[in-house]
């Protein structure tokens, strides 16, 4: 009890100063980016519904969210009432007919309430980081692996598509370390063990392999997404590079949202007790509490007991135990520990 009181006293001092680090916390879920030809109010009003649609899809992870009658019937009204602020920036895309991006910021609580009232799942800000091994082969150009510093049209389009669906990605640096481990052929043949080994330095949650080629009919693409023991494969064609990038982005987002999005309720649906080992300092305790409280399925966290470096907590969930397990598997901050001798699940806190 003395240790618990000490921790709680220190926690009061730390709560306003600790900047908890999550696996990947997407910060622009409630912001839409729309290409526009001008900065006039007329054009801005014309694309408000398009911006709201983009945000609703991004937050829910559901590409068909507008099919819900409670949302579709109120789209025009919601676009006006939920938009909070706007700004413009250069589009920076070559040969783009729309020279500006209109950035629209929408009310986060209002968006969540709309989705909750419609019974649509919400995919929270903690999302899997995807390292992308992408090889592009275009006639009269050498095969190229997209890197973190690539500034060509393909790289920009891919990043914008992923941002449109709220998917955090990172391209490899392709420095000496990467070049010694990975070749274009490894991506073409989908050498998963080789690419997985090379991806370790990027601390990602998932890995995407893509091979894009061009012929007289357009573009062909083969993709493989690997996350843990799960794997998804897609083959697609498109008249333009934008077509295949848009399609694969939607496929990835829909797939991951089906795993991590949670239907939000006003009351907790599930409660269980959890024990966490390795919480040795007050700062560990505060980071653990902040981490758990920011997980989408978690409605509330209550401290029950501190014994040495073990912490026992009561967890209230808006969803299922499975949704909680999937959420914590992303950040690698909590690791499940085999605990056959006890009924309370045990996790290890990873500093």
């Amino acid at each position: 009890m003395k240790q618990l009181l000490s921790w709680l006293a220190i926690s009061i001092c730390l709560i306003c100063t600790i900047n908890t680090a999550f696996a990947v916390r997407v910060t622009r879920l409630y912001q839409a980016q729309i290409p526009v030809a001008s900065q006039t109010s007329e054009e801005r009003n014309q694309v408000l519904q398009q911006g709201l649609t983009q945000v609703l899809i991004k937050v829910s992870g559901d590409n068909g969210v507008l099919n819900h009658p409670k949302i579709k019937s109120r789209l025009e009204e919601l676009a006006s009432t939920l938009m909070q602020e706007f700004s413009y920036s250069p589009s920076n895309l070559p040969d783009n007919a729309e020279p500006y991006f209109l950035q629209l910021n929408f009310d986060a609580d209002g968006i969540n309430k709309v989705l909750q009232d419609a019974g649509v799942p919400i995919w929270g800000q903690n999302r899997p980081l995807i390292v992308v091994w992408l090889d592009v082969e275009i006639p009269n150009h050498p095969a190229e692996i997209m890197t973190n510093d690539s500034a060509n049209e393909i790289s920009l389009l891919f990043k914008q598509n992923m941002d449109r669906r709220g998917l955090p990605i990172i391209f490899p640096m392709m420095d000496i370390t990467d070049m010694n481990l990975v070749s274009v052929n490894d991506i073409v043949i989908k050498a998963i063990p080789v690419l997985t080994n090379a991806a370790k330095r990027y601390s990602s949650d998932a890995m995407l392999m893509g091979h894009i080629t061009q012929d007289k009919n357009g573009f062909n693409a083969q993709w493989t997404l690997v996350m843990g023991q799960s794997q998804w494969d897609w083959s697609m064609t498109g008249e333009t590079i934008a077509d295949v990038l848009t399609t694969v982005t939607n496929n990835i987002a829909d797939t991951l949202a089906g795993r991590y999005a949670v239907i939000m309720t006003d009351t907790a649906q599930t409660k269980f007790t959890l024990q966490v080992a390795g919480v040795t300092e007050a700062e560990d305790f505060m980071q653990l509490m902040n981490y758990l409280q920011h997980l989408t399925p978690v409605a509330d966290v209550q401290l029950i007991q501190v014994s040495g470096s073990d912490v026992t907590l009561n967890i209230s969930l808006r969803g299922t135990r499975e949704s909680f397990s999937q959420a914590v598997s992303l950040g690698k901050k909590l690791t499940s520990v085999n605990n056959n001798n006890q009924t309370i699940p045990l996790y290890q806190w990873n500093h």
Side-chain angles (χ1 to χ4, degrees):
M1 178 60 71
K2 182 178 179 180
Q3 182 180 11
L4 173 58
L5 293 174
S6 177
W7 273 19
L8 293 178
I10 297 173
S11 297
I12 295 174
C13 299
L14 290 175
I15 192 168
C16 295
T17 60
I18 290 178
N19 181 16
T20 304
F22 301 101
V24 174
R25 193 162 172 77
V26 181
T27 58
R28 294 190 301 224
L29 286 184
Y30 301 89
Q31 181 185 94
Q33 186 169 263
I34 309 294
V36 291
S38 70
Q39 298 186 22
T40 64
S41 59
E42 290 80 8
E43 185 171 11
R44 183 172 65 250
N45 291 331
Q46 288 174 3
V47 300
L48 274 182
Q49 292 185 47
Q50 182 182 349
L52 176 60
T53 299
Q54 188 181 118
V55 168
L56 290 171
I57 292 173
K58 193 189 307 187
V59 175
S60 68
D62 181 2
N63 206 32
V65 67
L66 292 189
N67 294 328
H68 294 267
K70 289 184 179 180
I71 295 176
K72 187 174 184 179
S73 62
R74 299 180 59 202
L75 195 63
E76 182 176 359
E77 166 210 344
L78 293 171
S80 299
T81 58
L82 295 180
M83 198 272 285
Q84 292 183 318
E85 59 184 8
F86 65 89
S87 61
Y88 293 90
S89 62
S91 64
N92 291 329
L93 282 179
D95 303 323
N96 192 12
E98 288 81 21
Y100 306 105
F101 278 128
L102 169 62
Q103 294 174 343
L104 299 167
N105 291 330
F106 291 88
D107 176 48
D109 291 337
I111 294 291
N112 290 345
K113 186 67 164 60
V114 168
L115 294 173
Q116 180 178 335
D117 290 346
V120 177
I122 293 175
W123 189 9
Q125 289 181 299
N126 288 343
R127 300 194 173 189
L129 175 63
I130 305 170
V131 61
V132 180
W133 300 103
L134 175 58
D135 156 51
V136 180
E137 299 182 19
I138 297 176
N140 302 319
H141 290 276
E144 179 183 5
I145 298 177
M146 294 293 108
T147 75
N148 206 41
D149 295 325
S150 296
N152 55 39
E153 183 178 6
I154 295 174
S155 174
L156 291 174
L157 280 172
F158 198 57
K159 290 175 181 177
Q160 287 167 6
N161 265 285
M162 289 295 192
D163 184 66
R164 173 180 59 83
R165 293 300 302 266
L167 295 173
I169 64 170
I170 183 171
F171 287 103
M173 292 183 286
M174 291 312 296
D175 54 9
I176 294 297
T177 299
D178 283 339
M179 288 190 291
N180 285 335
L181 295 174
V182 175
S183 68
V184 168
N185 189 59
D186 291 323
I187 300 174
V188 174
I189 68 172
K190 299 180 180 178
I192 293 177
V194 173
L195 296 173
T196 299
N197 180 57
K200 289 179 180 178
R201 65 188 301 207
Y202 297 105
S203 300
S204 60
D205 300 290
M207 181 176 71
L208 177 68
M209 293 164 283
H211 176 55
I212 300 176
T213 58
Q214 184 182 17
D215 57 28
K216 63 180 180 179
N217 297 316
F219 292 86
N220 305 283
Q222 290 77 42
W223 305 89
T224 296
L225 176 68
V226 177
M227 175 178 285
Q229 300 301 313
S230 300
Q231 178 177 323
W232 300 267
D233 298 285
W234 301 285
S235 294
M236 59 197 64
T237 60
E239 293 184 4
T240 67
I241 192 71
D243 291 337
V244 296
L245 295 179
T246 297
T247 301
V248 73
T249 299
N250 289 338
N251 287 354
I252 294 170
D254 292 346
T255 297
L256 295 180
R259 173 175 288 203
Y260 297 112
V262 176
I263 294 178
M264 307 290 276
T265 60
D266 292 326
T267 58
Q269 295 180 327
T270 307
K271 295 185 179 181
F272 72 103
T273 301
L274 177 75
Q275 185 176 352
V276 181
V279 185
T280 57
E281 304 289 342
E283 184 173 341
D284 293 330
F285 172 70
M286 286 304 301
Q287 289 186 352
L288 171 64
M289 295 293 283
N290 275 295
Y291 170 75
L292 291 171
Q293 289 164 353
H294 280 87
L295 295 177
T296 304
V298 174
D300 187 43
V301 183
Q302 296 291 330
L303 177 65
I304 299 177
Q305 178 182 338
V306 176
S307 177
S309 61
D310 293 347
V311 175
T312 304
L313 305 166
N314 261 343
I315 309 291
S316 300
L317 300 177
R318 301 182 181 93
T320 63
R321 287 276 294 274
E322 182 182 4
S323 67
F324 175 82
S325 298
Q326 290 173 339
V328 299
S329 69
L330 284 180
K332 303 181 178 70
K333 299 293 289 185
L334 285 174
T335 304
S336 180
V337 178
N338 192 352
N339 195 25
N340 293 328
N341 297 326
Q342 297 184 29
T343 58
I344 298 176
L346 174 63
Y347 284 81
Q348 175 68 38
W349 176 245
N350 301 313
H351 303 268

